[in-house]
Amino acid sequence: MSQAILEKVEKTALKENPPQFDIGDTVDVHLRILEGNKERIQVFSGTVIGRSGSGSKEMFIVRRIVAGEGVERKFPVHSPRIEKVEVKRSAVVRRAKLYFLRQRVGKAVRLKERRRS
C-alpha cells in the first residue's frame, strides 16, 4: 500500500517532457537562480560524463574546464529549477560513465563527434 502512495507522489515530481541527451553530449544547462527577490537564468556548459538513478531521483553530471581546472556539477533531471538542457554537439562514446576524462588534460579531453544522419 505504501509503495502505491510513493509512486503517486513520484509521478507528480516528474517533468512532462524531460530533456533528451546522452552521455558524451556537450550541453548547455539553463538554471533558474534566485537572488533575493530577483530571478535570473545561469548557463552551465560542459560534457555529460554520467547519468544515474531513475524516476524523480535521476541525476546527470556535467564537466567543464574553467581556467585550467576541471569543474563538475550534478543536476537532477526533473528539477523545476532547470529551465532547459540544450544539446550543442554529440560524441561517439563506448562507456556509460566518462570518469576517465578526469585524468585527461588539454586536447586529450576532446571526444570524437557523432555523425548526424
Side-chain angles (χ1 to χ4, degrees):
M1 177 146 138
S2 63
Q3 186 70 20
I5 295 170
L6 282 172
E7 286 176 10
K8 261 188 195 175
V9 171
E10 253 191 38
K11 278 186 181 174
T12 60
L14 296 178
K15 284 187 177 179
E16 290 292 320
N17 47 352
Q20 299 297 316
F21 58 91
D22 291 316
I23 310 302
D25 288 356
T26 301
V27 295
D28 285 353
V29 182
H30 296 257
L31 280 171
R32 198 177 296 123
I33 304 290
L34 290 170
E35 292 176 341
N37 58 355
K38 292 182 186 172
E39 190 177 284
R40 67 183 178 89
I41 301 292
Q42 185 179 55
V43 180
F44 189 88
S45 302
T47 304
V48 178
I49 63 167
R51 282 181 90 147
S52 62
S54 63
S56 65
K57 296 183 272 296
E58 188 176 0
M59 308 282 272
F60 65 102
I61 303 170
V62 179
R63 179 179 175 83
R64 72 176 184 182
I65 307 297
V66 178
E69 196 71 31
V71 177
E72 291 183 9
R73 196 153 171 199
K74 197 169 187 179
F75 300 101
V77 173
H78 296 283
S79 171
R81 291 181 55 208
I82 292 181
E83 190 72 28
K84 65 180 175 178
V85 177
E86 204 175 317
V87 178
K88 291 294 182 188
R89 64 188 287 253
S90 295
V92 177
V93 292
R94 297 169 66 179
R95 305 265 181 284
K97 306 282 192 284
L98 303 181
Y99 296 153
F100 66 90
L101 292 177
R102 292 172 176 166
Q103 279 76 48
R104 300 207 175 166
V105 290
K107 288 186 177 181
V109 176
R110 293 185 302 182
L111 298 169
K112 196 179 290 182
E113 190 163 358
R114 182 184 299 148
R115 301 276 179 228
R116 295 181 188 175
S117 54

